[in-house]
Amino acid sequence: MTSRVWIVEDDAEMAELLRSQLARRGYAAMTLDSASAALDRLASEDADVVVTDIRMRGLDGIQLCSQLHESRPEIPVLVITAFGSLDTAVAAIRAGAFDFLAKPFEIEELVFRLDRALQHRRLAEEVRRLRAAQHGPIEDLSGESEAMRRLRDLVARVAPHDSPVLILGETGVGKERVARALHRHGLRPNGPFVALNCAALPEHLLESELFGHARGAFTDARSARPGLLVHANGGSLFLDEIGELPLALQPKLLRALQEQRVRPVGGEQEVAFDARVLAATNRDIDSAVEEGRFREDLFFRLDVLRVDVPPLRARGGDVLLLARQFLAERSARAGKPVTGISHAAGEKLLQYPWPGNVRELQNCVERAVALTQHEQILPDDLPERIRGYSRAHVEVASDDPAELVPLERVEQRYIARVMESVGGNKTLAAHILGLDRKTLYRKLKQSE
C-alpha cells in the first residue's frame, strides 16, 4: 500500500518541491499550509507519517507535534526546519516528534528518515496486534493512553483466575465493561453473566433478587424463585454499586460467598451454586470500611483482586479516539453524514475534565450529532458547559505582603478543591495529592 505522507509547510514552493520529489519515489504525498489545516483534516482522513516545518503562521511545528502526540500517538512526526539547533531538536523530541532534520538536506536523507518512521509505525502496530492476540482481544476496553494499556494488561492477567474481583472507578468510567471483559476472558466464558445493581432496589426486593424466595415467603410469592446467585451458576455474578448494599444483607451475602450455598427467603433448604463474583463501586469503599458503613469481613472477601478503572480525564487523547467511535456509531444510526470533529471542537473536548466520564462523552457526541447542520462537529454543537469551560489555576491576586495568605491556608484550599473535584472520595484524593489516607484525614481535621 502506498504510504500517505502529509507535508505541513506554509512556504508553497518548498511544500510543492517536497511533494513532487516524494511522489516521484512512490509516496502518496499531500501538502497542507498550516498546522490547523492538518489537525482539521485528521478528523476525516488519516496519514501514515507527517512532515512539518517549525516556523509557520498560527500553530508552529512544535505545537503540532504536541497535539498529534496527545490525540494520535500512532502517527510519527518528522520535523524539518532552517533554524536547526540543539535546543530546537530537544523541544521537538520532547513534544513527541519521531525525528528531526535541519535544512538544507538531501531528499534521499528525508526519504531514509521517512522509511524509518514508517517502519517504526508498522512495528508498533505489529507489537500491539501480537499483545492483543496473546492476551485475547479486550476489544471493549478501547484506548491508546498509557492508563488504558495498563488496564487491559491488568484485566488480561486477572481474568484467568477464579477469585473475586473488586472493580473501582468513578460513575461512567465503564466498570461493567471491565466486568464483562473479565467474564469473557475468564474460566467461565460460556456460562451466564448476571448483573445486579445493588442501589436500584429496596432492601426486601434486593434480598429476594439475590437469594431467591420460597413459595409463600411473602404476599406476592405465588411460586418459588431461585435468586441471581443460583442463576449465575457456572458463570459470573456482577454486583454493581456494592457499596450501597444494606448492612443487614452484608453478613448473609458473606456467608453465601464463603459456603457457596444460599438459603432462599422463607426457605428451609440451602441451594449450592458456583459463580465468580465481580463487585464494583464508585464509592470510597476503604473509607466506608474504616467508618463502619461496610463490613470489613465482606470487604476482604470481595477485595481479593482489585481493578482500578481510570477516569476519562486521565486518558489524554483517548477522549478524541472515543469521540470518533461514538460519532461513527451515532451518525450511522441517525443517517446523518457527520464525518468528523473540527480541530476547535476537539480542543474543547480535550480541555474539559469530564466529571461524567465516558458516559458523559457519549451523551455529548449523541447530542452534537443530533444538533449539527455541518459535516463536522463544531464548538457550537457542544453543550455550553463544555464549550465554555476553562481550566482552573492558582493565582496570586496581590503584591501586597499583608494580603498574602500563609502556605498552610493555600494547602487547605487546594485540598478542599481536590476533595470537591473527586466527590469526597478520600482514597482518590489522597492518591492525587500524594499523601497516605491517614495524613489526609489529619489535614482535613485541622482545616475544620
Side-chain angles (χ1 to χ4, degrees), residues 188-207:
R188 310 161 179 262
N190 298 320
F193 179 88
V194 179
L196 174 66
N197 188 326
C198 297
L201 297 172
E203 182 176 330
H204 68 284
L205 291 180
L206 184 59
E207 182 177 15

Side-chain angles (χ1 to χ4, degrees), residues 5 12 156 179 193 299 320 351 436:
V5 179
F193 179 88
F299 169 72
L320 292 184
Q351 290 171 4
D436 59 70

Side-chain angles (χ1 to χ4, degrees), residues 6-22:
W6 288 10
I7 302 164
V8 186
E9 169 67 80
D10 59 0
D11 182 334
E13 291 185 6
M14 181 64 177
E16 178 55 29
L17 174 64
L18 291 177
R19 188 204 65 77
S20 61
Q21 291 289 336
L22 292 177

